[in-house]
Amino acid sequence: MQLVEYLFENYNLDAMWLVFVRQTSAGIGFLAYTYWILKEDMLRPFREDLKDLMVFSVVGLLLAQLGYYYGVKLSNAAATTVIMYTEPIYVILWMSYKLKEWPRINEVLCMLLAFVGIFLITTHGSFESLAISPMAFAMAMLSAISYAVYSVQPMGLLKKYPNTLVLGWANIISGISLLSVVNPFNYPKTWDTQASLVMFYLIVGATLFTFFLYTKGLVIIGSTRASLLACAEPLSSIIFMVVLLGTPLEAMDLLGMGLIIAAVLLIVCVKK
């Protein structure tokens, strides 16, 4: 069971509430760092690049999060995660079209290794868990396509501004856009320490650190390689669940982890 599914099944959490809390909390963290440490002009992106910032906030961030969480809520984490991690396919196809060149062999092989690894981790090799409703499939596909936008669209912003400034405002915009339909104080009555630990990881580990490192990587290594390396993210969720929630590892988990690590090594070590 993935962390988001753990919250949904054990605490009957609302997907929009989860997105609101996660995005606004992360946004505040990013902006606080940018203001107090980097001393940046906080409103400059609104004056000079409002359109690009709004597209990134809504299409690249908000829809990706809502699509994934609703996909999990309507079906299960296994099917939604497998569909969401088809995102590198769309990035590779877009970059191939843009650069007018065929995808590199190592990129295709890396994508296949990572995809199989994610499939094994999330489903333990069972195709039965991939049976989902059309609406859940649509939500998962929305998440995958939005994540592809997330990997390609903000490149100009990230080269112009500190990534914490871009991410801060994008998370705040995506979060507060849900205020008309979300009561931030309406949290589950059964909320406990374990739920708080999972939520802390989702905000700090899976948002602050992950988004920061990913957007840094976009500028340094490009959209294609960054989106492929991001397929290693399920490994961190597994480690968290084993260490803090006591979830036992199965053989399929280890095999899937090995394939993902192989994919990461391939894309890092082979440049051509």
Side-chain angles (χ1 to χ4, degrees), residues 2-8 11 13-15 17-19 21-27 30 65 68-69 72 147 171 191 194-211 233 236-237 240-241 244-245:
Q2 300 299 307
L3 294 175
V4 173
E5 190 173 28
Y6 173 83
L7 289 178
F8 286 152
Y11 302 94
L13 206 60
D14 177 67
W17 183 90
L18 178 57
V19 172
V21 173
R22 181 186 178 189
Q23 304 312 115
T24 51
S25 299
F30 281 128
Q65 300 299 316
Y68 178 73
Y69 289 148
V72 174
Y147 269 119
N171 277 278
W191 198 263
Q194 277 199 321
S196 298
L197 286 173
V198 173
M199 197 67 192
F200 177 81
Y201 170 79
L202 289 176
I203 294 171
V204 177
T207 308
L208 284 171
F209 285 116
T210 302
F211 285 15
E233 190 274 336
S236 62
S237 295
F240 180 89
M241 294 183 74
L244 292 180
L245 300 183

Side-chain angles (χ1 to χ4, degrees), residues 15-185:
M16 284 197 181
W17 183 90
L18 178 57
V19 172
F20 170 81
V21 173
R22 181 186 178 189
Q23 304 312 115
T24 51
S25 299
I28 291 170
F30 281 128
L31 291 181
Y33 174 83
T34 305
Y35 180 78
W36 294 106
I37 305 299
L38 300 183
K39 309 294 185 182
E40 287 288 326
D41 180 353
M42 303 297 289
L43 298 180
R44 186 181 166 204
F46 287 93
R47 295 195 301 268
E48 300 180 13
D49 296 281
L50 178 60
K51 180 181 176 181
D52 286 341
L53 181 61
M54 294 302 295
V55 170
F56 176 55
S57 303
V58 177
V59 181
L61 192 56
L62 177 61
L63 294 183
Q65 300 299 316
L66 285 178
Y68 178 73
Y69 289 148
Y70 268 108
V72 174
K73 186 82 170 179
L74 294 171
S75 59
N76 57 71
T80 306
T81 301
V82 168
I83 295 170
M84 185 194 73
Y85 276 105
T86 61
E87 174 256 350
I89 298 175
Y90 313 123
V91 174
I92 289 174
L93 291 176
W94 170 253
M95 296 306 296
S96 297
Y97 169 77
K98 184 178 179 181
L99 300 175
K100 294 179 171 55
E101 63 181 27
W102 289 100
R104 296 170 180 170
I105 293 177
N106 69 300
E107 292 173 349
V108 176
L109 181 57
C110 171
M111 180 181 65
L112 292 174
L113 286 172
F115 187 77
V116 174
I118 291 167
F119 171 79
L120 292 177
I121 287 175
T122 55
T123 69
H124 289 165
S126 171
F127 283 92
E128 293 181 2
S129 59
L130 294 180
I132 61 175
S133 67
M135 180 59 72
F137 178 79
M139 290 294 99
M141 282 299 299
L142 172 65
S143 177
I145 295 171
S146 295
Y147 269 119
V149 174
Y150 179 96
S151 298
V152 175
Q153 188 270 342
M155 196 66 74
L157 292 171
L158 295 172
K159 290 180 178 179
K160 187 174 181 179
Y161 307 104
N163 66 333
T164 54
L165 181 59
V166 176
L167 288 169
W169 284 123
N171 277 278
I172 289 292
I173 292 169
S174 65
I176 63 175
S177 65
L178 298 175
L179 271 179
S180 61
V181 292
V182 171
N183 177 2
F185 302 104

Side-chain angles (χ1 to χ4, degrees), residues 182-255:
V182 171
N183 177 2
F185 302 104
N186 187 28
Y187 58 89
K189 304 304 181 185
T190 56
W191 198 263
D192 57 16
T193 302
Q194 277 199 321
S196 298
L197 286 173
V198 173
M199 197 67 192
F200 177 81
Y201 170 79
L202 289 176
I203 294 171
V204 177
T207 308
L208 284 171
F209 285 116
T210 302
F211 285 15
F212 176 84
L213 293 174
Y214 185 71
T215 50
K216 278 289 186 183
L218 284 177
V219 177
I220 297 171
I221 64 176
S223 300
T224 299
R225 297 181 75 199
S227 66
L228 290 169
L229 288 173
C231 290
E233 190 274 336
L235 297 181
S236 62
S237 295
I238 286 183
I239 293 171
F240 180 89
M241 294 183 74
V242 170
V243 174
L244 292 180
L245 300 183
T247 304
L249 280 177
E250 298 185 15
M252 287 296 183
D253 293 320
L254 295 174
L255 179 57

